Amino acid sequence: MTGLLNKLSARGYKITPQRRIILQVLSDSDKHLSAEEIADKVKQIEPGISVATVYRNLNLLAEIGILSRLNLHEGPARYELNQGHNHHLVCLGCGNAIKLGVCPMQGEIKKIIEESGFEVDSHHFEITGYCQKCQARQKL
Amino acid sequence: MTGLLNKLSARGYKITPQRRIILQVLSDSDKHLSAEEIADKVKQIEPGISVATVYRNLNLLAEIGILSRLNLHEGPARYELNQGHNHHLVCLGCGNAIKLGVCPMQGEIKKIIEESGFEVDSHHFEITGYCQKCQARQKL
DNA sequence: ATAGCAGTTGATAATAATTATTATTTAGGA
DNA sequence: TCCTAAATAATAATTATTATCAACTGCTAT
Ligand SMILES: [Mn+2]
Ligand SMILES: [Mn+2]
Ligand SMILES: [Zn+2]
Ligand SMILES: [Zn+2]
């Protein structure tokens, strides 16, 4: 938490109560949250904070690498404290995004893409389906 | 073209002038087009056609497999006549979506995902960067 | 050919997610 | 404490798409 705030001021950004609370909310969560979910939790702590401030800061925090933005194929973007490069199994039942410990941008595939002459900037790999909990729920 | 129209009526959908024109526009294009781009071209042929009709039919045609929808990470969805399962190299310069002849959902990665107990419904792999043309353009 | 009606359309309102605008406030350095 | 660039709150605007609904039309059965 303190480290995150330091990263902000080290880059010349101010440490505002709004930013503290947004980071607190994200620290307290163990899953990805949408901007709206974050704004709701933030307002439980400090009702005066504007949703625009939440969006503004989520953008900033993602830009400087404090957060990672998970831009799902559909629905709103989701955020969490940056935990490094990852891909996800996204459940159509409960919406959970489960980290997948593997990345397709390597080995043969990486080689093929490089050899095509395309200059890679970023990549995105997303699997949708049903997590084990939701599979069990369907069978009831 | 005739085959596509047959597929429509075989499923109980009517062959309307609007649908003919939308399919014509897509047949005439060699790249992905957004709904708006399609609507523009459609209106050049028949100005009275509503943009809502274009959206409505793009959804229908994608649903029954006549078109494939390319839901890019950002920006509007893009459509083309269905040419089978594919992933793309999307150029940040010119917007072109170049087909990548390979799919990560196979071999080791597929096995890892299956073994996780997650029931896969679909997957999405998208590489963004710069195509060779746009790389050359940058160097000028 | 004609009538009937489910399917379709055009016009427009609504929605969802996010960004832009702008007057006001504030964090943090001098 | 003062100053000012940065940040905020409130709200309008934007983008892409879907929903609504009255009017229309392709097809099928007469
Ligand atoms: Mn990766
Ligand atoms: Mn694939
Ligand atoms: Zn689930
Ligand atoms: Zn390009």
Side-chain angles (χ1 to χ4, degrees):
Chain A
M1 237 331 266
T2 330
L4 303 179
L5 295 174
N6 286 345
K7 197 164 181 178
L8 268 175
S9 50
R11 302 212 186 195
Y13 298 108
K14 294 178 179 174
I15 296 173
T16 64
Q18 292 87 345
R19 284 174 180 167
R20 281 179 195 279
I21 292 171
I22 290 167
L23 287 173
Q24 189 59 57
V25 164
L26 284 156
S27 298
D28 290 350
S29 170
D30 58 345
K31 57 171 188 163
H32 285 88
L33 298 174
S34 68
E36 203 189 343
E37 288 167 337
I38 294 166
D40 287 348
K41 288 177 192 287
V42 161
K43 287 188 181 208
Q44 281 171 28
I45 299 170
E46 191 60 70
I49 294 176
S50 162
V51 64
T53 297
V54 173
Y55 274 102
R56 223 185 289 117
N57 282 306
L58 291 175
N59 280 340
L60 172 68
L61 294 167
E63 208 168 274
I64 67 182
I66 290 178
L67 304 185
S68 62
R69 172 192 280 122
L70 178 59
N71 241 312
L72 296 182
H73 201 204
E74 70 174 64
R78 300 181 159 264
Y79 300 83
E80 68 176 352
L81 293 185
N82 190 352
Q83 294 169 38
H85 181 71
N86 259 300
H87 300 288
H88 298 83
L89 305 166
V90 182
C91 181
L92 294 167
C94 62
N96 264 9
I98 302 152
K99 282 193 181 57
L100 174 68
V102 83
C103 171
M105 189 54 92
Q106 51 167 275
E108 172 110 27
I109 288 179
K110 188 177 187 186
K111 193 174 290 178
I112 290 170
I113 293 167
E114 277 169 356
E115 282 169 2
S116 78
F118 190 86
E119 185 191 315
V120 175
D121 175 71
S122 69
H123 67 277
H124 182 76
F125 182 43
E126 177 187 336
I127 298 99
T128 53
Y130 293 92
C131 72
Q132 288 181 306
K133 266 187 199 164
C134 288
Q135 285 172 53
R137 209 170 293 152
Q138 282 179 320
K139 280 165 196 153
L140 297 181
Chain B
M1 240 327 268
T2 331
L4 303 180
L5 295 175
N6 286 345
K7 198 165 181 176
L8 268 175
S9 50
R11 302 212 188 196
Y13 298 108
K14 294 178 179 171
I15 297 175
T16 63
Q18 292 87 343
R19 287 176 179 164
R20 281 180 194 280
I21 293 171
I22 290 167
L23 287 173
Q24 189 57 58
V25 163
L26 284 155
S27 298
D28 290 350
S29 171
D30 59 344
K31 58 171 186 160
H32 285 88
L33 298 174
S34 69
E36 202 189 344
E37 287 167 337
I38 293 166
D40 287 348
K41 288 177 191 286
V42 161
K43 285 186 183 211
Q44 282 171 26
I45 299 171
E46 191 60 68
I49 295 176
S50 163
V51 64
T53 298
V54 173
Y55 274 102
R56 225 185 285 119
N57 282 307
L58 291 175
N59 281 340
L60 173 68
L61 295 167
E63 209 168 275
I64 65 181
I66 290 178
L67 304 185
S68 62
R69 172 192 280 120
L70 178 59
N71 241 312
L72 295 183
H73 201 205
E74 70 173 63
R78 299 181 160 265
Y79 301 83
E80 67 176 351
L81 293 186
N82 190 351
Q83 294 169 37
H85 181 71
N86 259 301
H87 300 288
H88 298 83
L89 306 166
V90 182
C91 181
L92 294 166
C94 61
N96 265 8
I98 301 152
K99 283 194 180 54
L100 174 67
V102 84
C103 170
M105 189 54 91
Q106 51 168 273
E108 172 112 28
I109 287 179
K110 189 177 187 186
K111 193 174 290 177
I112 290 169
I113 292 167
E114 278 169 356
E115 281 168 2
S116 77
F118 190 86
E119 185 191 313
V120 174
D121 175 70
S122 69
H123 68 276
H124 183 75
F125 182 42
E126 177 187 335
I127 297 99
T128 52
Y130 293 91
C131 72
Q132 286 182 306
K133 267 187 198 163
C134 288
Q135 286 171 52
R137 210 170 292 152
Q138 282 180 318
K139 279 165 196 151
L140 295 184

